[in-house]
């Protein structure tokens, strides 16, 4: 993709975006707003061809993609400083990775997904919008987490709507460096999933540090951010082969 849609300059209502950023303690630079509008326009056009998301109106993208992504700062405020090495596991069409890159471009961001068309879309966004600190990785987390360039490399590992927490921990903690954090973006069942994760945490070297209720800052949200600190190295046997974590979760 080498175009910027003609409608990227179409006026949008920015009230919800600005109010949400203010509630999250984010200083929204005016220069970032055109980039968010451009990403929405690119997503809208591509979505008509490959069905990337059902949430596509500007108002819904603001609340359910942009502000939901940016809510990460409630769990990891240091993201706002722009000095983190981040991987977004199961990035889909680039959320939360792209919004976080547009607002906090100083962080290094890798967006990983196993679906080629999604990674191709993300790569087109990175190239078209000139996102210098953003990269893509195509493959399954179970396989890429075994590679030297990815294993225990990242200070922040993000994942949104990928799997139940015991499974997700096996797919994400191997990417996380000692002392770093995994942020699992969850919904209303977060606490129940935390209760099911004791064995996985013990085996994989993680420790629940906090569960952040996003609603306290964004009233429309049902999001829960499970913050997991990497307290010991993940044994080399994890993650297990592709498909095994889902078939035999570490309960």
């Amino acid at each position: 993709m080498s175009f910027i849609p003609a409608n990227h300059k179409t006026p949008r209502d920015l009230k919800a975006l600005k109010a949400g950023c203010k509630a999250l303690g984010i200083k929204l630079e005016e220069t970032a707003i055109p980039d968010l509008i451009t990403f929405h326009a690119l997503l809208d056009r591509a979505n008509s061809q490959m069905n990337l998301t059902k949430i596509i109106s500007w108002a819904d993208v603001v609340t359910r993609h942009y502000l939901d992504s940016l809510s990460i700062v409630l769990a990891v405020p240091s993201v706002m400083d722009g000095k983190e090495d981040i991987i977004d596991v199961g990035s889909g069409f680039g959320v939360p990775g792209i919004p976080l890159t547009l607002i906090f471009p100083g962080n290094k961001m890798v967006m990983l997904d196993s679906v080629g068309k999604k990674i191709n879309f993300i790569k087109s966004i990175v190239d078209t919008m000139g996102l210098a600190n953003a990269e893509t990785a195509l493959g399954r987390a179970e396989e890429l987490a075994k590679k030297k360039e990815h294993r225990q490399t990242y200070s922040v590992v993000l994942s949104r709507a990928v799997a139940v927490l015991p499974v997700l921990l096996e797919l994400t903690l191997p990417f996380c460096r000692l002392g770093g954090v995994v942020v699992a973006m969850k919904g209303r069942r977060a606490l129940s999933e935390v209760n099911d994760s004791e064995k996985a945490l013990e085996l994989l070297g993680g420790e629940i540090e906090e569960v952040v209720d996003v609603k306290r800052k964004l009233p429309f949200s049902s999001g829960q951010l499970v913050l997991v600190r990497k307290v010991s190295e993940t044994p080399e046997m994890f993650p297990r082969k592709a498909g095994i974590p889902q078939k035999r979760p570490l309960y």
Side-chain angles (χ1 to χ4, degrees):
M1 192 188 305
S2 60
F3 58 84
I4 300 286
N7 67 335
H8 82 288
K9 292 183 179 179
T10 302
R12 265 80 162 182
D13 185 347
L14 301 175
K15 291 180 181 178
L17 177 63
K18 290 182 175 181
C21 286
K22 183 178 180 180
L24 293 171
I26 296 170
K27 182 181 179 182
L28 180 63
E29 301 290 346
E30 289 295 325
T31 53
I33 293 174
D35 289 336
L36 293 170
I37 292 172
T38 296
F39 176 54
H40 173 245
L42 290 166
L43 176 62
D44 190 15
R45 177 160 177 172
N47 196 62
S48 66
Q49 301 168 352
M50 63 181 84
N51 190 28
L52 294 165
T53 177
K54 294 180 180 179
I55 301 167
I56 201 61
S57 72
W58 171 252
D60 287 341
V61 164
V62 165
T63 55
R64 298 176 67 182
H65 291 326
Y66 291 170
L67 294 176
D68 187 60
S69 298
L70 297 175
S71 71
I72 289 294
V73 302
L74 298 177
V76 193
S78 59
V79 168
M80 291 190 282
D81 297 332
K83 298 177 182 179
E84 301 289 357
D85 292 315
I86 305 173
I87 186 168
D88 176 10
V89 177
S91 190
F93 55 93
V95 174
I98 294 293
L100 287 168
T101 299
L102 293 176
I103 301 300
F104 310 116
N107 298 301
K108 294 181 180 178
M109 176 69 70
V110 174
M111 287 165 280
L112 180 159
D113 205 275
S114 62
V115 180
K117 72 173 185 178
K118 293 178 179 178
I119 285 296
N120 288 338
F121 170 71
I122 298 172
K123 190 174 187 305
S124 74
I125 294 295
V126 169
D127 293 343
T128 299
M129 300 190 70
L131 305 181
N133 279 353
E135 300 176 10
T136 59
L138 174 62
R140 295 187 66 109
E142 297 98 321
E143 296 164 356
L144 293 184
K146 297 281 189 179
K147 294 185 178 295
K148 183 178 179 180
E149 64 265 34
H150 293 298
R151 190 168 186 86
Q152 300 192 145
T153 295
Y154 301 94
S155 58
V156 178
V157 183
L158 308 176
S159 194
R160 180 186 192 232
V162 169
V164 295
L165 190 58
V167 174
L168 186 62
L169 291 171
E170 185 170 355
L171 300 179
T172 54
L173 273 168
F175 288 102
C176 190
R177 69 177 62 149
L178 197 61
V181 293
V182 170
V183 183
M185 303 176 72
K186 290 291 181 179
R188 295 183 179 89
R189 291 182 52 83
L191 292 178
S192 175
E193 292 186 27
V194 166
N195 290 335
D196 290 336
S197 299
E198 184 176 345
K199 181 178 179 180
L201 290 163
E202 181 180 354
L203 290 172
L204 299 166
E207 185 176 277
I208 301 292
E209 193 162 286
E210 187 180 8
V211 178
V212 179
D213 185 359
V214 178
K215 190 173 184 177
R216 63 186 175 87
K217 294 294 184 179
L218 300 177
F220 58 82
S221 176
S222 61
Q224 303 277 323
L225 305 175
V226 182
L227 181 65
V228 182
R229 182 72 60 181
K230 181 74 167 279
V231 295
S232 61
E233 291 192 2
T234 302
E236 288 295 328
M237 67 174 291
F238 298 112
R240 292 166 291 171
K241 290 183 179 180
I244 299 300
Q246 292 86 350
K247 291 179 182 178
R248 298 203 296 272
L250 298 173
Y251 290 123

